[in-house]
Amino acid sequence: MEQASAVTPLLVLSGVTKRYGAFRALDGVDFDLRPGEVHVLFGENGAGKSTLINVITGNVAFGEGTYSVQGRPAAGLSPQTLRAAGIAAVFQEFSLLPDLTVEENLFLGREMRHGPFVDRTAMRRRSAKLFAELGFDIPVSTLVGSLSRPEQQMVEIAKALMFDAPILILDEPTASLTDTDADRLFAVVARLKARGVGIIYVSHRMREIRLLADRITVLRNGRRIATIAASGVTEAALVEMMAGRPSGELYPAIRHTPAAERLRIENLATPDGLVRTVSLSVHAGEIVGLAGLVGCGKSEIGRAVFGLLPIAAGSITVDGQVVAAPHPRAMLRRGVCYLPADRGTEGLALNRPVRENVTMAALDTSTLGGGGLLRLRAEKGVAARLLERLSVRPPSPEPPVLNLSGGNRQKVMLTRGLVRPTDVFLFDEPTVGIDVGAKAEVYALMRDLTEAGAAVLLVSSDLPEILHLSHRIYVMHQGVIVRELAGAERTEEAILSCFFGSALLQDATTAGEAVA
């Protein structure tokens, strides 16, 4: 443990406990934040990180302990009061209104005025200045609903920074950002630290922790395990503190026993041009990876197959039958399940009970429905079994999904493919924003599904994930597949050489032959 600092903290929590019935989400937690530091919160999903952040922001009232902000008691204060006291937060789930412009979202509820009128010119000028300082190339007059998820993440970050708060909370802020945009964010964090801003940073990415952290607090099962200086700490030590056991292999060995072809895509194209003449196949008993840079079109393939995007050309075949006009209900009945990257917006109904989120894709099955009626007892039983199978914590099916941590929300969404017969799984960025322990559980589920005969299409921007889990890999660039890799060809160098197109690959091959 580190020694106490003479610097007066910006906020201090001592012995904070939060109970949900008999379950302790926080159990006597101590935490403080100093000016000009990045204090990382680290722990498995369900460890208490989200609850602690919600206590700090005033969204959750705690039962025992004390909490002060800049020396003043904060217990019982509302989120609005704490924002006024200088706490700004960027959460994993966005709080933007899609029908408003970027500028309107930034100032929502805090509009600048000239007399009785909203001063749009001043708001636009201030917004543009902030975006220029952050290096975010987004016109502030753009409707938020037309932005990509990474761009919306930038808007959320800018919104939090708009009013110079001395305390900033960043909850997995790079989950939707490209490496270039993440580097811009890191530069912003460095500038904020130099200005004395205290930053609470939630991340599971070791690169970010090594780059940014001054101190790290590790939580496990609602308790603070340690607060340590970031310098010199190893990844293995952090994972062991987080999990309570020595770190083992993250990626399971998955047998490759390809059988019948489950899914075939031929010359697929979408009207927006993000996918152009894509062909691939996935067999029972294998995981096929789709790799490529953000924006290459890989995520659009799963969405088009499931019927969430229109198809301009090409064909989709499931178990030997061509699907003329795919749409979600028909694809579910054909045994195809799509699990989206954005669980908050597309994957879950956050204000509805866990039980309803588990079963919503199977209400037309004989197990749960029939004659227009829902079998509530059967629904509760199915939900309870699946929550236990995926180790969702807490395992209760009745609270709203909003109460769960990010990793447990992800596991609730994954039950969607287990509640009805499913042969083809389309995983789109399945481990975005979840910790190492939850990743291991997701990977184990993918192994079990594959070895039981399912066909899995894995779309991921995590290169180690693609390399370790996939039996075959397709690499995309600007809407087309530039190479298929199998066997010993599946290397990081081979994938990276394809990220910028087949021309670059050909140039590299020719140069290598010339050197030889």
Side-chain angles (χ1 to χ4, degrees):
M1 297 287 292
E2 60 164 9
Q3 296 180 349
S5 171
V7 177
T8 302
L10 292 168
L11 61 81
V12 178
L13 294 93
S14 179
V16 168
T17 296
K18 173 61 182 177
R19 293 182 176 88
Y20 292 98
F23 174 70
R24 291 194 179 199
L26 295 176
D27 190 358
V29 171
D30 297 335
F31 181 83
D32 69 272
L33 178 69
R34 301 168 187 167
E37 77 162 347
V38 174
H39 194 152
V40 167
L41 272 179
F42 190 75
E44 291 185 299
N45 289 290
K49 303 187 304 298
S50 296
T51 304
L52 183 59
I53 288 174
N54 279 316
V55 165
I56 292 171
T57 56
N59 291 308
V60 167
F62 59 94
E64 302 166 20
T66 61
Y67 170 32
S68 63
V69 176
Q70 301 191 66
R72 298 180 179 179
L77 295 183
S78 67
Q80 293 82 0
T81 305
L82 287 168
R83 279 199 298 272
I87 297 177
V90 178
F91 294 101
Q92 286 188 51
E93 313 301 341
F94 298 161
S95 59
L96 303 173
L97 298 181
D99 295 329
L100 298 183
T101 66
V102 170
E103 165 198 319
E104 290 167 338
N105 271 276
L106 293 179
F107 287 93
L108 188 63
R110 305 178 290 183
E111 291 81 1
M112 300 176 70
R113 294 185 176 275
H114 183 73
F117 304 104
V118 173
D119 192 341
R120 295 190 178 276
T121 301
M123 288 163 55
R124 184 168 295 114
R125 187 183 304 118
R126 185 165 177 179
S127 302
K129 180 182 177 183
L130 177 62
F131 272 58
E133 291 174 352
L134 297 176
F136 294 164
D137 186 19
I138 302 173
V140 297
S141 59
T142 306
L143 284 177
V144 162
S146 68
L147 300 178
S148 67
R149 183 167 175 81
E151 289 171 330
Q152 291 185 27
Q153 177 75 81
M154 296 179 208
V155 175
E156 280 282 10
I157 292 168
K159 184 178 178 181
L161 298 174
M162 176 61 73
F163 294 95
D164 300 321
I167 299 168
L168 177 63
I169 301 171
L170 297 175
D171 186 7
E172 295 286 355
T174 62
S176 300
L177 299 184
T178 65
D179 287 345
T180 299
D181 291 327
D183 288 339
R184 290 175 182 163
L185 174 64
F186 300 156
V188 171
V189 168
R191 291 199 296 270
L192 293 172
K193 283 181 59 178
R195 282 167 34 190
V197 175
I199 300 169
I200 301 173
Y201 197 100
V202 181
S203 179
H204 304 107
R205 300 184 178 190
M206 292 300 170
R207 169 179 175 255
E208 296 176 16
I209 293 173
R210 286 193 295 269
L211 185 65
L212 301 176
D214 296 296
R215 291 190 294 159
I216 303 169
T217 287
V218 181
L219 297 179
R220 184 171 76 238
N221 296 328
R223 298 180 179 179
R224 188 191 71 152
I225 301 304
T227 298
I228 56 177
S231 58
V233 69
T234 66
E235 179 176 345
L238 281 176
V239 172
E240 184 168 346
M241 282 189 284
M242 176 186 73
R245 58 186 183 275
S247 58
E249 290 294 326
L250 176 61
Y251 303 101
I254 304 175
R255 292 194 304 272
H256 187 204
T257 54
E261 183 180 79
R262 292 288 195 187
L263 174 67
R264 171 170 288 274
I265 301 169
E266 293 184 293
N267 298 318
L268 184 69
T270 55
D272 56 15
L274 292 175
V275 178
R276 301 180 289 126
T277 61
V278 165
S279 298
L280 60 82
S281 65
V282 189
H283 292 250
E286 72 171 353
I287 297 178
V288 171
L290 260 181
L293 297 174
V294 172
C296 70
K298 61 184 186 296
S299 289
E300 283 74 16
I301 289 177
R303 298 174 64 79
V305 168
F306 198 62
L308 296 173
L309 287 179
I311 295 172
S315 64
I316 297 168
T317 303
V318 177
D319 288 333
Q321 295 186 336
V322 175
V323 182
H327 59 86
R329 177 179 292 181
M331 298 309 282
L332 283 171
R333 289 176 175 173
R334 288 177 179 269
V336 179
C337 183
Y338 169 70
L339 299 159
D342 189 347
R343 59 179 174 264
T345 302
E346 296 186 331
L348 297 167
L350 295 175
N351 63 338
R352 302 305 303 165
V354 170
R355 165 179 50 81
E356 293 181 9
N357 277 272
V358 169
T359 61
M360 64 171 58
L363 299 181
D364 61 337
T365 63
S366 59
T367 301
L368 299 179
L373 299 176
L374 175 63
R375 299 188 175 98
L376 290 175
R377 183 176 298 178
E379 183 191 36
K380 291 179 181 179
V382 167
R385 286 194 298 274
L386 290 175
L387 295 178
E388 188 62 33
R389 177 178 174 182
L390 271 69
S391 301
V392 175
R393 294 293 178 265
S396 171
E398 295 309 320
V401 173
L402 191 63
N403 289 356
L404 301 184
S405 66
N408 283 298
R409 292 181 190 181
Q410 182 75 350
K411 287 190 271 187
V412 168
M413 188 177 74
L414 295 181
T415 62
R416 202 75 48 77
L418 307 178
V419 75
R420 62 183 301 142
T422 303
D423 299 316
V424 179
F425 290 84
L426 309 173
F427 287 95
D428 190 358
E429 305 287 0
T431 60
V432 166
I434 66 176
D435 64 66
V436 175
K439 283 184 179 181
E441 292 177 326
V442 171
Y443 297 155
L445 172 64
M446 294 173 68
R447 175 200 60 203
D448 294 344
L449 294 172
T450 304
E451 294 186 350
V456 174
L457 181 64
L458 170 62
V459 178
S460 178
S461 300
D462 187 325
L463 198 52
E465 186 170 274
I466 285 283
L467 282 167
H468 284 91
L469 299 179
S470 305
H471 300 115
R472 292 187 294 119
I473 301 170
Y474 292 98
V475 188
M476 288 193 67
H477 172 68
Q478 293 184 352
V480 299
I481 289 175
V482 295
R483 193 174 179 188
E484 178 185 354
L485 302 168
E489 295 177 320
R490 295 171 302 145
T491 66
E492 182 174 351
E493 293 76 13
I495 294 177
L496 290 174
S497 70
C498 299
F499 271 8
F500 301 98
S502 56
L504 180 62
L505 175 63
Q506 182 62 45
D507 290 345
T509 303
T510 303
E513 292 172 350
V515 170

